[in-house]
Amino acid sequence: MNTEAVLTDLRSRIQAGYPLLFLKTWEEDRWERELAELVLELERGLVTWTITQGLQPPASGDANEAPSAQLLVSQMARFPAEHVFLVKDFHPYLGDPLIVRQLRDALPTLVAQRKTIIFFGSITTVPVELVKDAVKLELPLPAYEDLRDEFDLALAELRGADDGIVIELSVDDEDRLIKAVMGLTAQEARKAWRRALHGRSELSDEVFTTLIAEKRTLASGSDFLEFYDLDEGVGDIGGLDQLKEWLSQRALAYTPRAREQGVPLPKGMLLLGVQGCGKSLTARATARLLSFPLIRLDIGTLLSNQRGESERNLRSVLHLVESIAPAVLWLDEMEKGFAGVEGDAGGGPDPTMLRLVGTFLTWMAEIQKPVFTVATANSVENLPPEMLRRGRFDELFFVDLPNFDERKHIIGIHLRKRGWKLEKFDIDDLAQRSDGFSGAELEQIIVTALIDAFGQGHVLSNEDLERAWRSTVPLSKTMEDKIFALRNWAQDRTRRATSDSRVTAMLEAEQRNDSLVIPDDDEDELPAWAQLASAGQLKAALVEYVRGDGDVLFASMQDALAPYMEVAGDYGLAARANPNTVLWTGLSQPLCELIVELVSTKRLYVHPTDIERYKQLQKGLRLPVLKEPTDEALPRASWLPSSLRCAPHAVHSARLARIGRMKLASG
Ligand code: ATP
């Protein structure tokens, strides 16, 4: 649930007269602000309580009473009906039988007077005596839309600072910066952005790695998860062109545009293959490509002899991963972790392992959050067959020993990484000789040659590389049969990470169902938004239309969308904070709902605009005109001429952030 959904839930509970709500949160400030706004909207009185201040504002006559938990209930009774009491950190006092009894006795009056007590803090324990009358909720960390607001504030602050940033950010950059801190509280997120962006004029990869490192603490409480720094990128992987291309396409599925067009979130990939050929490296590079933290899970560590403990461990780990999401979850050496699923010595499959596999697969199928799983394995013998079935992972890749071109690429990468110019070396020759060597072994040749040359007091030469090559026996020699069997198995069951030839690569690319391609303005006569609209993607079309135009009047939007949906009707839009502020009328219900959703999820923003623009279109509402939104109560419905944009208004964004649909009297 995001903030908006929780507020809707709380709104209905307060309205329905729930007397006791227990809300757990780590973000006192943010949620106190949200709750205060909600109570105001419900036109109830709000009173807060802390042990240091007592009730604020105090009931008349109570101002001189010292704060006391035992007086809380009697003091609340002195307030008139329709009040909400926000009681902070009260859990230590709920162990007191006297206080619990006072609360129970007060329940009928609370309900009759439509009063709600919200117990609010990082610990929520509901005394058994109150369980039946209480509702317990965990308030979520800021969702993407909430962090958008925080990001706008943080950015404005940074830009305002003397040595602040003058960085230009695209919509996609902002999206990545926001996603990188999901899982943190709003305050932590602001601190992280400040630290990562301060004084920068350019958005480098380093910014993302700094932001992602802030999430390290989230995984640090777990014995099963390991957090990795993102040091290597896709550019560090030699060869594996098919795999890299596939990955960069999946990365697009996390962009806001893909979200608008309903492109599903990728689930992950399984990399099966020969040891030392870059599977782990690819897992690390994937996290960097997506700008997600990389968390490694060793299934073996979850196992316990106690009944049910292993599954409990797995569940709690997966829950933690979700709270860190977006994230790349790396299941390393999966065949070892799940070893025993097939059982041995005719004992049949190990039931614990079967349940673990089942739990994991169900989680992977159902998870709604952006978690991309990369599972790596060196053999298939011990891999649970369910894992390999189509549809579990988005793709199964076979990572083979590198071919000639790939070996050249890998040698080049590792020499360059250590500061050597490639022209000095006969890379073709080394690549030629090293057929059957893995990437890790090629790297080892370079490392050995470097150490030897340095030890002998000369600069690295082709001779050193050749000597190192001679002294290395590739694993593929000793494991030839195993590799051959694996390759055979993989042939029809997996996709190759490397293209065999340009022709096959081209054919495959053509056959691939390319659902991620986003229509381009120049390629077709119709602009992108109209292509989307004719494909039924109205939400995406509307955002695209506003993005393209920059500033769209409600009237123009209605005209533009007319060929694609019913746009006219008996509905209108108004600001929720002040419902007499009418934005536009004469709209159809579906169009109203579309706009309300896009505004509430912060894809679009309402801006007050100059009435002259509407006059030029010869359109307008027959209502008194407002120049700008106001907090004052309006005696009657008034028209705020406004438009839609993709960025919030500098001053009025809060007043116009929530809009609602209203039904107009027809005729
Ligand atoms: P294992 O199954 O033994 O874990 P792996 O397939 O995961 O093997 P990596 O751990 O990724 O292999 O490889 C070890 C190291 O070898 C990498 O960190 C990298 O330095 C180098 N290496 C392997 N393959 C490649 C490659 N394709 N391009 C560049 N470097 C590579």
Side-chain angles (χ1 to χ4, degrees), residues 186-393:
Q187 204 178 10
E188 287 167 341
R190 267 202 310 271
K191 255 195 275 169
W193 285 319
R194 241 181 270 142
R195 221 162 70 88
L197 290 170
H198 185 81
R200 281 187 198 269
S201 55
E202 228 178 55
L203 198 61
S204 62
D205 260 11
E206 209 189 317
V207 171
F208 293 102
T209 43
T210 315
L211 284 176
I212 285 162
E214 297 281 331
K215 288 199 187 182
R216 178 184 289 278
T217 45
L218 295 177
S220 66
S222 167
D223 294 336
F224 311 117
L225 294 178
E226 206 179 329
F227 195 98
Y228 273 73
D229 283 327
L230 308 183
D231 296 328
E232 288 137 315
V234 173
D236 293 305
I237 308 175
L240 311 186
D241 50 354
Q242 296 252 36
L243 170 55
K244 288 191 283 193
E245 194 197 323
W246 182 89
L247 259 182
S248 27
Q249 281 203 11
R250 297 309 112 171
L252 290 178
Y254 293 98
T255 57
R257 281 182 174 205
R259 295 274 64 71
E260 284 153 19
Q261 295 182 29
V263 177
L265 287 174
K267 299 261 170 226
M269 61 182 176
L270 189 142
L271 307 178
L272 171 72
V274 182
Q275 245 171 15
C277 288
K279 298 184 295 298
S280 313
L281 173 63
T282 306
R284 298 195 295 270
T286 303
R288 177 138 170 180
L289 175 72
L290 301 179
S291 305
F292 292 176
L294 176 66
I295 323 164
R296 178 172 172 272
L297 167 63
D298 184 346
I299 300 279
T301 59
L302 300 172
L303 302 180
S304 155
N305 287 334
Q306 276 184 28
R307 218 184 126 68
E309 181 80 8
S310 312
E311 285 148 270
R312 258 198 304 283
N313 286 343
L314 179 61
R315 281 210 186 87
S316 78
V317 155
L318 295 177
H319 187 69
L320 186 58
V321 170
E322 279 183 51
S323 69
I324 301 175
V328 171
L329 175 65
W330 173 22
L331 300 186
D332 193 18
E333 302 197 322
M334 197 173 55
E335 75 281 21
K336 291 192 188 147
F338 285 123
V341 172
E342 282 299 322
D344 39 29
D350 172 347
T352 305
M353 277 303 178
L354 277 183
R355 282 198 301 272
L356 277 186
V357 173
T359 306
F360 182 77
L361 289 176
T362 313
W363 173 80
M364 218 168 108
E366 290 174 357
I367 184 174
Q368 298 292 326
K369 297 209 171 161
V371 176
F372 187 84
T373 304
V374 182
T376 53
N378 288 329
S379 75
V380 279
E381 276 113 61
N382 290 319
L383 269 187
E386 294 88 334
M387 285 274 181
L388 301 168
R389 223 166 273 153
R390 287 264 147 217
R392 305 295 203 196
F393 289 91

Side-chain angles (χ1 to χ4, degrees), residues 439-459:
E441 286 159 347
L442 292 172
E443 182 182 16
Q444 199 47 46
I445 290 179
I446 292 165
V447 172
T448 309
L450 269 170
I451 296 175
D452 287 352
F454 186 77
Q456 291 159 17
H458 61 255
V459 176

Side-chain angles (χ1 to χ4, degrees), residues 21-39:
L21 300 176
F22 286 76
L23 306 185
K24 180 175 172 181
T25 178
W26 295 100
E27 298 183 281
E28 190 174 287
D29 288 351
R30 184 171 79 91
W31 276 104
E32 190 176 347
R33 260 185 283 130
E34 295 287 356
L35 291 171
E37 215 179 286
L38 176 70
V39 173

